[in-house]
Amino acid sequence: MTRIVLLGYMGAGKTTVGRELAKKLNLMFYDLDWYIESRFKKKVSQIFAEEGEEGFRKKERNMLHEVAEFEDVIISLGGGTPCFFDNMEYINQQAETIYLKGTPEILYEHLMMAKGKRPLLEGKSPEELKEYIKTSLESREPFYCQAKHIFNIELLGNGDKINKCVEDICTMLNIP
């Protein structure tokens, strides 16, 4: 039975790397935010708007406990998931946990490449965004660093770099 959970800041590549890792290992892939949206038939941003962060985080915790029981899966968490309740302790009990660690500069570059909108980032100038990433990453890092494995990411700008990242993670986990 294989259960791997990827965590880290938004833009770290959790979904991108997780999807490719799942393909390589022939496992199911679940993005926790997508799972929540599927279960509640609402976007995460809508749940936040209707129930506030506290309401969202309770739903997120419950859904985390669901998917973390699945077998033969790769799961990518939302950036804030490890920072609430006992989520970090719980996932460390359930799975191999990997913190995809990126510098604020790399995370900024990834977020600039991303196609999807991120409500927390809207309306910020490049300088404000860089400062926001740096400050919020500092507050979350104590939770992220509780992962069983820390994997330093580089700029994942193309398929070759993503595949190299997947290969390196497999090597780190001793997966052929």
Side-chain angles (χ1 to χ4, degrees):
M1 193 262 313
T2 302
R3 193 179 292 135
I4 299 170
V5 174
L6 302 176
L7 58 113
Y9 197 74
M10 67 178 137
K14 301 177 301 284
T15 299
T16 302
V17 170
R19 216 180 351 232
E20 293 305 311
L21 186 59
K23 277 185 203 170
K24 177 178 174 41
L25 301 178
N26 199 28
L27 300 173
M28 290 296 298
F29 173 72
Y30 292 92
D31 176 291
L32 185 60
D33 283 346
W34 297 350
Y35 187 79
I36 291 167
E37 291 177 349
S38 167
R39 287 292 306 275
F40 293 96
K41 308 289 187 249
K42 294 178 183 179
K43 291 282 187 199
V44 167
S45 57
Q46 187 180 354
I47 297 170
F48 255 91
E50 292 173 0
E51 300 182 35
E53 184 172 17
E54 186 178 339
F56 171 74
R57 296 296 177 192
K58 286 178 182 174
K59 281 182 169 33
E60 179 184 57
R61 181 176 188 260
N62 291 338
M63 296 300 96
L64 173 63
H65 280 250
E66 255 183 48
V67 297
E69 296 291 327
F70 297 169
E71 295 184 358
D72 298 322
V73 294
I74 308 289
I75 303 165
S76 69
L77 303 182
T81 309
C83 308
F84 292 88
F85 305 106
D86 62 346
N87 291 348
M88 208 46 238
E89 181 181 331
Y90 176 73
I91 59 172
N92 272 330
Q93 292 170 357
Q94 297 298 318
E96 286 299 317
T97 52
I98 303 170
Y99 168 27
L100 297 184
K101 182 177 182 165
T103 64
E105 297 76 22
I106 287 175
L107 297 169
Y108 173 81
E109 291 299 323
H110 282 185
L111 289 167
M112 292 298 94
M113 287 189 290
K115 295 179 180 103
K117 290 191 177 196
R118 300 186 185 252
L120 290 173
L121 307 181
E122 285 183 24
K124 290 181 172 50
S125 70
E127 291 73 30
E128 290 171 328
L129 180 54
K130 287 176 186 175
E131 185 57 31
Y132 177 82
I133 292 168
K134 182 178 177 287
T135 303
S136 57
L137 180 60
E138 285 172 1
S139 70
R140 290 178 173 192
E141 194 134 55
F143 297 96
Y144 296 162
C145 286
Q146 294 174 41
K148 294 177 184 176
H149 307 277
I150 297 176
F151 183 83
N152 291 305
I153 58 160
E154 302 295 325
L155 194 61
L156 300 172
N158 62 46
D160 290 341
K161 291 180 179 181
I162 294 165
N163 289 334
K164 170 87 169 86
C165 179
V166 167
E167 291 298 327
D168 291 347
I169 288 173
C170 287
T171 299
M172 181 180 71
L173 296 176
N174 294 315
I175 298 172

